[in-house]
Amino acid sequence: MTSELQQRLLTHQQRLASCQQCPKMTGPVIIGHPVVTDILQLGQAPGIHEAKTGRPFSWTAGKTLFKWYQQIGVDEHQFRSNVYMAAVCRCFPGKHPKHGDRVPDKTEITTCEQWLDTELELLKPKLIIPVGKLAMTRLMSVDKLKDVVGKTHRLRFRNQFIDVIPLPHPSGASTWHNMEPGKTLLQDALAEINKHPSWKKIMYSDQLQDG
């Protein structure tokens, strides 16, 4: 069953890689490893450097993100090998005229949702980790980060019951995770991830390989 699912996931990613539906988006499509897993991380959209490396979270924000995960026992290689890395939008949106990256518009977000829907249908994840407010809002209602970060939310999404543990965005442009209450809530969120059964399976898997 796993090999069949792996092939279906690879076929899905091949279709995803050829997507050119959003004229304002800059390719290539950024795709994570086709790993069959219980955990899906949902980012916002790749930056300009990810377009060069071809991997999600492969620049400054990624370094911060993987430092967070390392605090709870999983390094970057383990994470990429055991967690399916998706995003609200899979291409670089381009630069904002005034500062930073452009936020994808509603049409682009809706267009890209089809890919996430397929991944949820194929993987049926038990844990989703949305990173950043845009990613969180695809799964749940969010007013302020302090109301949702640091907790496990049991949600029904796309006809599935899924545990959702939000993380703030690790961008250097954001200071939320370095100031209170964000600093404490980030640690609370990491603790929630660390005790989730699906996360423990990553650590146990690595220990078995070492043994």
Side-chain angles (χ1 to χ4, degrees):
M1 179 64 180
T2 300
S3 59
E4 179 186 342
L5 181 54
Q6 182 87 47
Q7 187 55 54
R8 291 174 67 191
L9 197 56
L10 283 167
T11 300
H12 160 75
Q13 288 198 338
Q14 288 167 359
R15 292 179 54 240
L16 171 56
S18 64
C19 181
Q20 297 181 347
Q21 296 183 69
C22 301
K24 291 189 292 182
M25 288 287 192
T26 301
V29 180
I30 305 302
I31 303 173
H33 292 320
V35 56
V36 176
T37 176
D38 290 338
I39 307 176
L40 183 145
Q41 177 181 274
L42 185 63
Q44 300 191 151
I48 191 169
H49 296 291
E50 279 75 15
K52 298 173 185 175
T53 63
R55 296 189 305 163
F57 281 103
S58 57
W59 208 250
T60 307
K63 290 179 181 177
T64 299
L65 179 69
F66 291 118
K67 283 181 182 177
W68 293 349
Y69 289 136
Q70 200 153 19
Q71 291 179 37
I72 52 174
V74 172
D75 63 24
E76 180 176 351
H77 174 74
Q78 284 174 269
F79 187 90
R80 291 188 185 275
S81 300
N82 289 278
V83 176
Y84 191 89
M85 299 180 75
V88 174
C89 290
R90 312 299 172 98
C91 296
F92 175 49
K95 289 293 183 182
H96 189 278
K98 294 185 178 179
H99 60 85
D101 295 344
R102 180 178 70 86
V103 177
D105 62 36
K106 290 183 179 180
T107 299
E108 291 165 335
I109 291 171
T110 301
T111 299
C112 217
E113 273 187 345
Q114 62 178 306
W115 306 113
L116 177 62
D117 286 347
T118 299
E119 289 155 355
L120 292 175
E121 181 183 342
L122 288 172
L123 296 172
K124 295 180 171 53
K126 296 178 181 176
L127 171 62
I128 296 182
I129 305 171
V131 181
K133 192 171 184 179
L134 179 62
M136 296 175 202
T137 58
R138 304 320 299 159
L139 305 170
M140 58 198 298
S141 177
V142 180
D143 181 17
K144 296 181 179 180
L145 291 180
K146 67 181 180 67
D147 297 329
V148 296
V149 176
K151 306 171 186 175
T152 298
H153 305 265
R154 183 70 168 167
L155 303 179
R156 185 176 180 85
F157 184 75
R158 299 290 193 269
N159 297 317
Q160 300 177 44
F161 282 103
I162 302 172
D163 290 332
V164 175
I165 306 178
L167 288 177
H169 201 280
S171 167
S174 172
T175 60
W176 190 87
H177 57 270
N178 289 322
M179 301 171 62
E180 294 297 353
K183 194 172 182 179
T184 295
L185 292 176
L186 167 61
Q187 294 303 315
D188 291 344
L190 292 173
E192 289 293 304
I193 293 171
N194 191 39
K195 71 182 184 183
H196 195 279
S198 296
W199 186 265
K200 290 182 180 297
K201 283 170 69 175
I202 296 180
M203 301 180 71
Y204 294 153
S205 173
D206 186 66
Q207 289 169 6
L208 288 172
Q209 289 173 12
D210 290 343

